[in-house]
Amino acid sequence: MTKTFGAALVGCGSISGVHLKSFAGLELAELKVVVDTDEELAKRTAQQYGCDYLTDYRQLFHREDVQVVHLCTPHHLHAPLAVELLAAGKHVLTEKPMAQNKQAAASLLQAAAQNPNVQLGVIFQNRYNPASQRIKQFLDSGELGKLICMKGLVTWYRNENYYITPWKGKWETEGGGVLINQSIHTLDLLQWFGGEIASIKGSISNDSLEGVIEVEDTAHALIQFKSGVRAIFYATNAYLQNSPVEVELVFEQGTLYMRGDYLYLRKGDQETMLCEPRVNDLGEKSYWGVSHAVQIRDFYEHLAAGKPFWIDAREGVKALTMVLDIYESSRAQKAVPFLV
Ligand SMILES: NC(=O)c1ccc[n+]([C@@H]2O[C@H](COP(=O)([O-])OP(=O)(O)OC[C@H]3O[C@@H](n4cnc5c(N)ncnc54)[C@H](O)[C@@H]3O)[C@@H](O)[C@H]2O)c1
């Protein structure tokens, strides 16, 4: 049976396996081709997944058997490649962040708006984690009363070896450090839970990798929401452990506490566990979140139904803007208004 969508993946590095393995469970899509500038890697990946390989993504423009392209390239290539692929009539599912700076983000927003016949999706798989979904239900139902404040903590470890990859650790290609790469997921959850942001004050530093990376390994921020809710946020790559991400939401009538994939509800001295981890069969590291396959399936289901995908360019730019505002605030040493 012919599947509805033929797919390509560009960038056969660390994260690619999580995307590539997801095709085995998809009825709607079939992997046709992988692309990497490293020909040996492209060839090896193609052999492993039983598809064609290419070394130049531009050769995808005229492949009629490819309707959807997954972008798993370095950050600075997401926006320019997505802009060209959208213009060539391909749907694009890009890894986070959708761009590495505001100018690139603006070009992608414009391309998405100018090509309404194709869709752009941005990977933020942690929105699909059962714990995140359950938190969203509490927010929507209002059963714990009003949200008062939140905190987000990311304490991970990335040493010199991680930054051997040439595009990482540099402003021009990675666009930042712990904020734009590792903790953008947690910023995205905070904005998804908290609603519209009024302003952000933050600061960044390089605490453990001076002389190794240009970008920050540590950051903190105070995020002021229009509703009056306040969030505090801390992220570092200088811990010696990849601890589970922690997010806490304090409501009038209880506190939700997410630690990795676990979710607890505290009311007075009583604590109840609400969610346990989903089984991870894609080889995803647990601290990344385990919902890539769920988001990828959801993207194809939206395409098949002809419905706009909900984590699009306008949605993906929110967490990116938080990241870029923390950089700006750190430089200016004052709060910056949040404008998306
Ligand atoms: N969602 C998540 O939890 C998660 C986790 C890890 C990585 N990521 C994201 O995935 C993306 C890739 O990260 P990675 O760690 O896999 O990087 P990587 O360096 O391991 O892989 C990138 C690959 O892209 C290839 N490449 C570079 N330029 C190319 C071009 N012009 N055309 C084709 N291929 C090209 C490289 O040769 C390399 O194989 C990044 O955006 C990263 O933030 C997301």
Side-chain angles (χ1 to χ4, degrees):
M1 195 183 80
T2 317
K3 299 200 178 186
T4 315
F5 297 100
L9 176 138
V10 186
C12 302
S14 314
I15 198 64
S16 65
V18 172
H19 286 251
L20 294 168
K21 284 180 196 141
S22 71
F23 287 103
L26 283 177
E27 302 79 33
L28 284 171
E30 183 173 343
L31 179 68
K32 299 285 184 186
V33 53
V34 291
V35 187
D36 203 294
T37 41
D38 176 341
E39 185 167 5
E40 268 314 300
L41 178 61
K43 193 173 171 182
R44 224 175 32 244
T45 310
Q47 277 164 356
Q48 187 180 348
Y49 291 95
C51 64
D52 300 342
Y53 75 90
L54 299 167
T55 53
D56 186 342
Y57 69 93
R58 285 171 291 203
Q59 292 169 283
L60 294 174
F61 298 165
H62 305 295
R63 289 268 310 224
E64 287 189 1
D65 60 340
V66 170
Q67 292 84 40
V68 183
V69 181
H70 294 232
L71 280 184
C72 298
T73 55
H75 295 174
H76 66 302
L77 299 176
H78 292 172
L81 266 60
V83 167
E84 285 188 72
L85 288 159
L86 291 169
K90 310 294 180 190
H91 302 287
V92 175
L93 182 59
T94 181
E95 267 298 344
K96 45 47 73 167
M98 65 181 238
Q100 82 288 14
N101 58 39
K102 285 194 177 173
Q103 205 182 0
S107 70
L108 188 47
L109 280 160
Q110 191 182 15
Q114 283 173 349
N115 293 286
N117 48 328
V118 282
Q119 297 215 43
L120 176 90
V122 183
I123 292 282
F124 274 118
Q125 78 274 11
N126 290 343
R127 290 197 192 187
Y128 289 81
N129 295 350
S132 308
Q133 292 280 328
R134 191 76 183 88
I135 291 171
K136 195 67 174 154
Q137 283 168 8
F138 274 106
L139 286 159
D140 291 344
S141 71
E143 65 188 274
L144 293 175
K146 265 177 42 183
L147 179 63
I148 297 165
C149 56
M150 299 187 284
K151 73 179 171 202
L153 298 178
V154 182
T155 51
W156 286 359
Y157 183 41
R158 297 290 183 276
N159 62 17
E160 301 78 23
N161 297 335
Y162 174 82
Y163 289 103
I164 285 170
T165 310
W167 64 272
K168 287 179 179 155
K170 299 188 178 71
W171 287 107
E172 201 177 325
T173 46
E174 190 171 8
V178 69
L179 283 173
I180 203 162
N181 197 331
Q182 286 76 30
S183 61
I184 192 169
H185 291 290
T186 308
L187 289 171
D188 183 59
L189 289 181
L190 290 175
Q191 71 80 23
W192 189 46
F193 297 149
E196 286 185 56
I197 295 170
S199 65
I200 300 190
K201 184 168 193 302
S203 90
I204 60 167
S205 59
N206 183 349
D207 291 354
S208 73
L209 290 171
E210 226 171 293
V212 178
I213 58 173
E214 294 169 5
V215 297
E216 84 289 355
D217 71 354
T218 301
H220 74 82
L222 188 151
I223 303 152
Q224 191 62 57
F225 289 84
K226 287 186 180 168
S227 60
V229 168
R230 170 179 288 186
I232 59 117
F233 171 81
Y234 174 80
T236 187
N237 276 340
Y239 203 44
L240 295 177
Q241 181 72 29
N242 288 310
S243 289
V245 170
E246 293 172 57
V247 175
E248 184 176 76
L249 295 91
V250 179
F251 294 84
E252 289 169 319
Q253 289 149 35
T255 296
L256 292 172
Y257 172 61
M258 187 184 91
R259 184 168 187 277
D261 296 324
Y262 290 88
L263 180 67
Y264 304 89
L265 170 62
R266 268 200 311 270
K267 279 188 170 187
D269 327 331
Q270 285 229 315
E271 188 163 273
T272 322
M273 189 169 74
L274 302 178
C275 286
E276 289 178 78
R278 175 190 274 144
V279 176
N280 173 2
D281 54 4
L282 285 182
E284 285 173 89
K285 294 181 185 165
S286 61
Y287 58 82
W288 281 353
V290 291
S291 298
H292 258 98
V294 187
Q295 176 166 2
I296 291 168
R297 170 181 291 278
D298 193 33
F299 184 64
Y300 281 101
E301 283 175 355
H302 278 77
L303 294 184
K307 288 198 306 200
F309 186 62
W310 64 298
I311 313 179
D312 60 4
R314 282 169 307 168
E315 198 57 31
V317 80
K318 293 177 183 172
L320 176 64
T321 304
M322 294 170 82
V323 166
L324 300 174
D325 281 358
I326 296 172
Y327 295 144
E328 193 183 325
S329 166
S330 186
R331 278 192 299 271
Q333 295 197 1
K334 61 179 186 188
V336 297
F338 187 79
L339 305 167
V340 286

